Amino acid sequence: MSHKITLIPGDGIGAEVSQAAVRCIEACGVDIQWESVLAGQDALDQTGQLLPQNVLDSIKKNKVALKGPITTPIGKGFRSVNVAIRQALELFACVRPAKTYPGVKSRFKDIDLVIIRENSEDLYSGIEFQEGKPETQKLIAQIEQDTGKNIRPDSGISIKPISKFASERIVRFAFQYALENKRKKVTCVHKANIMKFTDGLFLQVARQVAAEFAGKIIFEEAIVDNMSMQLVQKPHNYDVLVLPNLYGDILSDLCAGLIGGLGIAPGANIGTELAVFEAVHGSAPKYKGKNKANPTAMILSGVLMLRHIKENRPADILEKAVSQVIAEGKSVTYDLKPDPLDPSAAGTSQMADAVIEKIKKMK
Ligand code: NAD
């Protein structure tokens, strides 16, 4: 079967890792017609827009996209194009598997966790009030009047909306995911002891949804700070984690650290009809154009994409090929070498070549 898929190469290391992933996916013999579109700085330079409409139109038309990372300057300039794509297309579930592959230097073996992060609201809603602006002063005055609590006048404010609707949608998604993927347990991560009306609501809804799956999937609750310690000490105790947006973002990087680093952590953003597959990592600007970044996270995002479009055999071949290259430890990038300064480390494209060689032997 032929598939038409949107490709957003991204910036920073995006172009290199996306190209490596495309080459590996194509080597598996899947019939894919890529529709390449630009977003981020390159799009801004060429079209004057960071997220041109044709990017969203292409994803809506093709239903599936593979996306490289896109830079977001901290604290100034534009808001994240990555977050904008997820919000514009209602890609409400961010799925980030954290799995150890033999040969990866990591404190733990046999980790196999999945983070399910709510993608549409929380502190990532982009509702912010800048320090010193009249609307911020107005909001502060209103809050002080309504709550009797003081806010310093030189404050900036970010709003954290958490709805029943989006909480139920993500928790249900997590339980369905657990069922379909033969997982045993879902842990709801929150800070409901402090944020009673936002995280408290998320937890309350999670308990209700969990009751529908009683007897099929175990349900647990954990406070996010304790969870961070538990994950570092006993990651094997966990299976599927469901979290609001911010905690999901932070703990997925923590879990990437548990399994050997951001270079090997894949991800998917899923909506009711559309799906965008991208690595957990960002654009790592310092490695741009150096042929140094690890392409594994993008390649494994490609594995998730192939499973999503029901190309299960090519997906299995691709995952096995990556796993073999990592296990051999020869043609791997610097971050997978015992000594990151090892001069024999492979470049991005050489690691992809090694994966392709393995694929050829399996076909
Ligand atoms: P980052 O993930 O880009 O990089 C952090 C560090 O992780 C790098 O310096 C590098 O040491 C390591 N790393 C990341 N990817 C790697 C790879 N493939 N191979 C080897 N090592 C790798 O995080 P950052 O520096 O905080 O962010 C850089 C930019 O990316 C920011 O503008 C940020 O907003 C953006 N970002 C984008 C996405 C996305 O596109 N979905 C996600 C996260 C961050």
Side-chain angles (χ1 to χ4, degrees):
M1 189 187 162
S2 175
H3 306 274
K4 198 156 182 195
I5 291 178
T6 301
L7 177 68
I8 307 167
D11 54 30
I13 57 169
E16 297 153 70
V17 292
S18 302
Q19 223 229 336
V22 165
R23 286 202 296 124
C24 292
I25 292 166
E26 288 183 344
C28 296
V30 198
D31 184 2
I32 294 178
Q33 231 185 307
W34 301 98
E35 189 168 282
S36 191
V37 288
L38 289 184
Q41 191 59 48
D42 293 347
L44 186 66
D45 295 344
Q46 289 189 20
T47 69
Q49 283 180 303
L50 283 160
L51 180 55
Q53 186 59 37
N54 75 313
V55 174
L56 300 175
D57 290 345
S58 172
I59 302 171
K60 281 182 192 160
K61 176 168 59 84
N62 297 326
K63 313 274 187 242
V64 180
L66 184 64
K67 175 188 161 297
I70 294 173
T71 308
T72 311
I74 294 172
K76 62 178 166 62
F78 54 89
R79 276 190 210 289
S80 166
V81 172
N82 313 299
V83 175
I85 291 175
R86 293 169 202 156
Q87 289 180 346
L89 299 176
E90 280 274 338
L91 303 172
F92 66 87
C94 181
V95 180
R96 291 178 163 176
K99 179 171 161 182
T100 36
Y101 289 91
V104 167
K105 50 173 182 171
S106 148
R107 282 177 204 283
F108 299 101
K109 286 192 174 66
D110 304 322
I111 293 178
D112 188 8
L113 288 167
V114 182
I115 298 254
I116 307 235
R117 163 188 172 194
E118 205 288 322
N119 242 353
S120 73
E121 49 183 26
D122 193 357
L123 283 162
Y124 287 62
S125 298
I127 309 167
E128 297 202 286
F129 292 81
Q130 194 176 346
E131 181 271 317
K133 290 273 167 137
E135 59 271 25
T136 315
Q137 299 307 326
K138 205 170 133 199
L139 180 68
I140 289 174
Q142 184 70 47
I143 293 172
E144 289 189 337
Q145 190 189 329
D146 289 349
T147 65
K149 301 219 162 129
N150 289 326
I151 299 177
R152 290 194 181 92
D154 57 346
S155 297
I157 296 184
S158 298
I159 303 288
K160 171 177 164 130
I162 296 227
S163 67
K164 268 158 94 172
F165 172 82
S167 302
E168 182 182 340
R169 181 172 65 172
I170 194 68
V171 176
R172 197 171 290 288
F173 179 96
F175 274 92
Q176 289 292 359
Y177 179 96
L179 267 185
E180 283 161 24
N181 291 278
K182 303 191 172 32
R183 299 272 172 171
K184 293 189 170 55
K185 183 166 76 173
V186 171
T187 305
C188 171
V189 184
H190 62 87
K191 188 77 184 170
N193 49 330
I194 304 292
M195 281 162 279
K196 297 184 190 305
F197 297 148
T198 48
D199 287 23
L201 183 62
F202 188 83
L203 177 60
Q204 179 196 323
V205 170
R207 285 175 181 161
Q208 285 162 2
V209 174
E212 295 171 30
F213 292 83
K216 293 185 197 135
I217 303 286
I218 300 164
F219 176 66
E220 268 182 3
E221 309 170 5
I223 294 176
V224 64
D225 38 355
N226 176 32
M227 188 69 201
S228 307
M229 186 197 71
Q230 298 292 339
L231 278 170
V232 170
Q233 289 192 323
K234 302 175 212 159
H236 298 105
N237 284 357
Y238 301 95
D239 192 351
V240 175
L241 309 182
V242 65
L243 317 87
N245 209 338
L246 176 65
Y247 310 143
D249 194 10
I250 297 170
L251 289 200
S252 46
D253 269 37
L254 186 152
C255 288
L258 289 177
I259 57 149
L262 281 169
I264 52 175
N269 300 292
I270 312 271
T272 39
E273 271 191 57
L274 313 178
V276 175
F277 295 83
E278 64 176 339
V280 173
H281 66 69
S283 56
K286 67 180 176 186
Y287 293 137
K288 177 183 177 176
K290 296 204 168 132
N291 190 34
K292 205 167 152 78
N294 189 342
T296 304
M298 268 306 278
I299 299 173
L300 292 176
S301 301
V303 170
L304 300 177
M305 184 193 81
L306 289 174
R307 298 220 163 96
H308 179 80
I309 60 170
K310 308 271 183 272
E311 292 285 0
N312 288 321
R313 190 171 140 69
D316 291 345
I317 289 176
L318 185 51
E319 185 175 18
K320 206 165 161 196
V322 174
S323 163
Q324 285 176 356
V325 169
I326 293 174
E328 282 176 13
K330 205 158 61 77
S331 301
V332 294
T333 45
Y334 78 98
D335 54 315
L336 296 180
K337 290 282 186 187
D339 172 9
L341 298 175
D342 184 339
S344 76
T348 310
S349 59
Q350 288 69 40
M351 186 165 177
D353 290 342
V355 172
I356 291 167
E357 280 310 305
K358 296 288 181 202
I359 293 169
K360 282 182 185 159
K361 285 186 188 141
M362 275 184 262
K363 277 175 68 189

